[in-house]
Amino acid sequence: MDIWTVDALPSLGSTKPEFQLGVLGDPVEHSLSPRMQNAALAARGLPYRYERVHVSPSRLEEAFARLRELGFIGWNLTLPHKIAGLSLVDRLDPEAADLEAINTVLNHGGELIGFNTDGRGLQAALTEAFKIDLTKVRIAVLGAGGGAGHASARFLARLRPERLLLVNRTLAKMENLKNQLAGDPRITFWDFDQLERVFREADLIVNATSAGLAGGILDWEPDWLQADHRVFDMVYGREGDTPMVAWAKRKGVPAVDGRLMLLHQGAFAFEHWFGRPVPVQAMRDALR
Ligand code: ATR
């Protein structure tokens, strides 16, 4: 499948009229969204295609203008555009405003509406993977100061889990979160030096850092992980388990990677574009 660029978009009208949806990222090569969304489009019998568009941060605004002009139905945003996209839409869904990031745009007759389906995608993935009631567990988010971690922390805080332990290597990067979530005694803030204690005090570990475990990038002791832990790694590999998931499984701990979140956030995005029914099974099969 091609990877499109902003410069290639002007010729679009005449050559690929069915290309009406896509994912904008930098890099974007790795994205599995086209595979999943094209399966959904086919399952619903919709005559559109979903493609990858490589867009650097300096050209994001231009890309939005072009896609609006070309009458695109909508698009997704992946790294590093989820925060910059906030100011490029005409209207923000309240949840996206609250999470301070968007990953889905709907072109509603020329009006661009920004949504965030990552939060609900994460919730659906955790619930499906571990069959747990998220209000009754102690959740640790590693990397809560990064882009994905910040939005996840905001979303999980709204679910009011028993405890929410927010962890970041650089404590200063959680200052915003601290101000926003101040006053809730169930929410605490930690740095990586305190990771051993975080593992002791959490049931569910959500990794939102961009670092893998490979090569000791994250400095953890193997015995911090116990059989009753659950591990969710927000990243996913194109093939096989991520290092973190592999590590957890070797210890007999249930662990799932970000593909399940990708599936659910994509299903919610599809629903914003086309309504129900959403062919979730076709999307799931496409990701296998
Ligand atoms: P940002 O939002 O900073 O632009 P990101 O990719 O959204 O970048 O987030 C990266 C996250 O992974 C951050 O939480 C980062 O921690 P810092 O805030 O301390 O930089 C985290 N991260 C990346 N590599 C890491 C490592 N080796 N150990 C721990 N955390 C790491």
Side-chain angles (χ1 to χ4, degrees):
M1 221 182 303
D2 305 329
I3 296 180
W4 286 74
T5 61
V6 182
D7 290 325
L9 289 173
S11 61
L12 200 63
S14 53
T15 55
K16 298 220 172 186
E18 78 278 20
F19 167 26
Q20 294 271 295
L21 294 152
V23 53
L24 280 50
D26 181 17
V28 75
E29 293 75 10
H30 64 283
S31 175
L32 293 177
S33 288
R35 208 196 273 184
M36 168 176 74
Q37 296 292 358
N38 284 319
L41 291 164
R44 273 275 296 267
L46 295 165
Y48 309 120
R49 277 227 324 278
Y50 180 111
E51 308 258 14
R52 291 169 292 182
V53 189
H54 179 262
V55 181
S56 61
S58 64
R59 303 195 70 183
L60 189 64
E61 189 170 355
E62 192 185 345
F64 269 54
R66 286 299 295 140
L67 296 177
R68 185 206 303 255
E69 217 170 273
L70 288 163
F72 265 52
I73 294 163
W75 53 93
N76 286 127
L77 298 176
T78 185
L79 292 177
H81 301 318
K82 293 185 184 188
I83 295 171
L86 282 172
S87 60
L88 299 177
V89 291
D90 303 309
R91 192 148 59 88
L92 272 181
D93 176 68
E95 184 157 292
D98 191 40
L99 301 184
E100 301 177 303
I102 60 171
N103 73 329
T104 301
V105 175
L106 168 69
N107 182 4
H108 185 66
E111 185 193 32
L112 302 185
I113 309 173
F115 296 93
N116 188 314
T117 68
D118 283 332
R120 283 200 292 150
L122 174 64
Q123 179 184 17
L126 293 174
T127 308
E128 178 186 325
F130 305 126
K131 314 278 182 288
I132 45 175
D133 177 350
L134 293 173
T135 64
K136 297 205 165 66
V137 289
R138 301 169 302 166
I139 307 175
V141 178
L142 312 186
H150 178 94
S152 307
R154 291 292 302 259
F155 184 87
L156 292 170
R158 286 156 45 123
L159 298 181
R160 307 176 74 80
E162 191 181 308
R163 287 195 59 193
L164 185 59
L165 296 90
L166 302 178
V167 194
N168 209 57
R169 179 179 57 182
T170 316
L171 257 184
K173 287 215 207 152
M174 289 196 295
E175 275 311 309
N176 261 350
L177 264 185
K178 271 189 190 167
N179 293 332
Q180 291 160 348
L181 302 175
D184 187 335
R186 287 168 304 197
I187 303 177
T188 48
F189 298 85
W190 309 75
D191 66 27
F192 266 70
D193 293 342
Q194 299 162 294
L195 215 48
E196 181 176 5
R197 192 155 155 222
V198 168
F199 271 71
R200 261 202 322 271
E201 298 192 10
D203 308 302
L204 170 62
I205 313 282
V206 175
N207 177 38
T209 74
S210 51
L213 250 184
I217 303 168
L218 290 181
D219 196 12
W220 304 353
E221 297 297 329
D223 60 354
W224 292 354
L225 204 55
Q226 301 299 324
D228 54 358
H229 275 124
R230 300 289 178 268
V231 170
F232 187 82
D233 195 357
M234 281 175 67
V235 298
Y236 57 84
R238 273 192 88 89
E239 282 174 32
D241 286 334
T242 64
M244 183 167 185
V245 168
W247 175 67
K249 283 185 178 171
R250 271 199 304 277
K251 304 239 355 157
V253 173
V256 169
D257 75 15
R259 243 174 237 242
L260 200 54
M261 177 173 169
L262 176 77
L263 167 71
H264 288 294
Q265 64 75 31
F268 290 126
F270 188 95
E271 189 176 336
H272 284 306
W273 297 324
F274 301 109
R276 291 185 193 176
V278 181
V280 178
Q281 192 54 46
M283 298 170 92
R284 195 185 290 274
D285 292 345
L287 288 177
R288 284 227 170 91

